[in-house]
Amino acid sequence: MASASANVDKKTLWGGGYEPLKASYGKLMMWFFLLSDALSFSGLLVTYGFSRFSHPTFDFAAGKEFFFSVGHWPVPELVFTHIPFFHVNAPLVFVGIMTFILILSSVTMVLAVEAGHRNDKNDVVKWMLWTILGGIAFLSCQAWEWTIFITGTPEGLTLADGTVLKGASLAANEYGPVLFADLFFFITGFHGTHVLSGVIINIIVTYNAAIGTYHRVGHYEMVEKVGLYWHFVDLVWVFVFTFFYLV
Amino acid sequence: MGHAHHGEDIALQVLPKDTAKIRTIWITTAILAGLTAVEFILAFAMSAGTMKTLWFVLLTFAKTFYIVGEFMHLKYEVKTLIWCIVLPTMFIMWFILAMLMEGDSIHLLREWVLTWAR
């Protein structure tokens, strides 16, 4: 009877029986890893919320025009107002485009997973390549965003003692308290590192799919596992978009 | 027994496209794009305040539901697995609330100290 099946006896894969949660070992561990990663990102975003709440905010009620100062927390949408190649004041447009790019790359990833369920090697490779392209496009946008933020405005910010702050770094920030810049670099940087590693893993999986590794193994579960990771990275950006840029 | 495992022997059958599933994927995409567009409009249409923040949080949770439920397929997993992932995030909710209150309290204390110092 066992000789009829080319598969290993599935009970030997799990000491405790056949797939307790009806998910394979690899997928289950990916889920638990993502849960712990969600806690890491929560730590960073909660730190942002904590810092924002413990700093003075600009009082719009007084009818004044908003200005940048190290004394109060900036309004994020007034910090990120550029679009590459266009000299216009367009708050949130560039970051909105980045969000769409990441959502679309998530869609091409689900399509790759769907193709994997059908054992369709060519479709898997095609959709994975689109996903990689989306990831690279997102990272390029982020590099641009960082460059603009680090360079700062032509005028900079003149402090009371006459020092001029230009741009943002981990030690100085012309847009507001130093913590705002620090958390921008840490949160988008940690997320960007995830996207970068996701792109690298996607390239490896695409290569393996193209040379027929998963065809020989008999299933495309690896595509599902990297898919889970990629969607998670997209999800984190949804949260960064809301809690860093919008609120 | 079962060790005659030569990968090359397996000829994987390419199955036809699951059109219903692909349709769900594109509908989910449209919903996610739509929700993001609404957030974008609200960012300019509403003035800053609790209501605006509340809308953003609600829309973000809606997007989370579609990404995790549909794209990550969690909706279709067994109940125990769903709860294994969802329940621990409750601790995050507590974490957010506790730290925001703590931050607000520190802000008030700082203001109070500044007023008192004058």
Side-chain angles (χ1 to χ4, degrees), chain A:
Chain A
M1 36 157 238
S3 60
S5 145
N7 291 326
V8 201
D9 181 14
K10 287 202 170 105
K11 280 197 177 176
T12 59
L13 297 174
W14 284 87
Y18 174 63
E19 296 187 354
L21 297 177
K22 292 203 172 55
S24 70
Y25 177 81
K27 260 163 82 176
L28 202 54
M29 290 308 122
M30 180 54 90
W31 268 114
F32 291 145
F33 162 69
L34 293 181
L35 183 62
S36 69
D37 218 17
L39 294 170
S40 311
F41 274 109
S42 306
L44 285 171
L45 280 171
V46 169
T47 309
Y48 178 83
F50 174 85
S51 311
R52 188 173 182 168
F53 271 53
S54 59
H55 276 79
T57 42
F58 183 74
D59 188 12
F60 281 99
K64 282 179 293 184
E65 187 86 18
F66 180 82
F67 60 93
F68 292 119
S69 154
V70 288
H72 56 244
W73 205 257
V75 176
E77 63 180 62
L78 298 175
V79 178
F80 306 99
T81 56
H82 72 284
I83 312 177
F85 310 116
F86 293 92
H87 292 280
V88 286
N89 184 47
L92 299 176
V93 172
F94 190 46
V95 73
I97 295 169
M98 285 165 74
T99 307
F100 274 108
I101 290 173
L102 215 52
I103 287 180
L104 280 178
S105 82
S106 224
V107 175
T108 55
M109 180 51 104
V110 213
L111 291 169
V113 172
E114 194 273 337
H117 284 148
R118 298 186 287 106
N119 305 320
D120 191 334
K121 188 177 100 176
N122 294 340
D123 263 17
V124 168
V125 172
K126 178 181 83 181
W127 290 121
M128 285 301 290
L129 284 175
W130 278 112
T131 310
I132 292 166
L133 189 71
I136 291 173
F138 179 86
L139 285 172
S140 315
C141 291
Q142 194 149 54
W144 202 296
E145 179 99 327
W146 273 47
T147 310
I148 299 282
F149 187 63
I150 292 167
T151 317
T153 56
E155 315 83 52
L157 178 76
T158 314
L159 298 181
D161 64 356
T163 3
V164 178
L165 293 180
K166 274 202 165 182
S169 68
L170 289 175
N173 175 16
E174 71 158 273
Y175 299 103
V178 180
L179 259 181
F180 177 80
D182 292 350
L183 286 160
F184 174 81
F185 290 127
F186 268 89
I187 294 172
T188 63
F190 197 51
H191 176 263
T193 312
H194 275 73
V195 179
L196 179 66
S197 60
V199 168
I200 293 167
I201 297 165
N202 283 348
I203 290 172
I204 296 168
V205 167
T206 311
Y207 174 74
N208 278 335
I211 62 169
T213 307
Y214 306 130
H215 190 84
R216 275 193 297 281
V217 171
H219 56 78
Y220 283 79
E221 199 191 270
M222 194 54 86
V223 180
E224 281 183 59
K225 281 182 275 192
V226 297
L228 284 177
Y229 181 69
W230 191 255
H231 297 315
F232 174 76
V233 170
D234 175 33
L235 178 67
V236 169
W237 183 256
V238 164
F239 275 81
V240 172
F241 178 61
T242 302
F243 296 110
F244 202 98
Y245 289 94
L246 289 180
V247 172

Side-chain angles (χ1 to χ4, degrees), chain B residues 27-110:
Chain B
I27 290 171
T28 313
T29 313
I31 293 170
L32 285 173
L35 290 175
T36 309
V38 171
E39 281 184 330
F40 192 78
I41 293 164
L42 283 185
F44 300 105
M46 289 180 84
S47 48
T50 320
M51 272 315 283
K52 190 181 183 180
T53 310
L54 199 66
W55 270 111
F56 283 148
V57 170
L58 282 177
L59 287 165
T60 304
F61 275 122
K63 281 159 84 177
T64 306
F65 177 78
Y66 283 106
I67 291 174
V68 178
E70 289 291 344
F71 284 1
M72 297 171 88
H73 217 253
L74 191 63
K75 234 168 91 180
Y76 308 98
E77 304 289 354
V78 294
K79 280 236 160 62
T80 322
L81 178 51
I82 297 177
W83 285 116
C84 278
I85 303 301
V86 175
L87 273 181
T89 58
M90 300 289 173
F91 289 102
I92 303 179
M93 301 299 146
W94 163 81
F95 187 35
I96 293 169
L97 208 66
M99 287 299 119
L100 290 187
M101 286 165 76
E102 192 67 19
D104 203 34
S105 150
I106 286 177
H107 173 68
L108 287 173
L109 271 172
R110 276 176 178 164

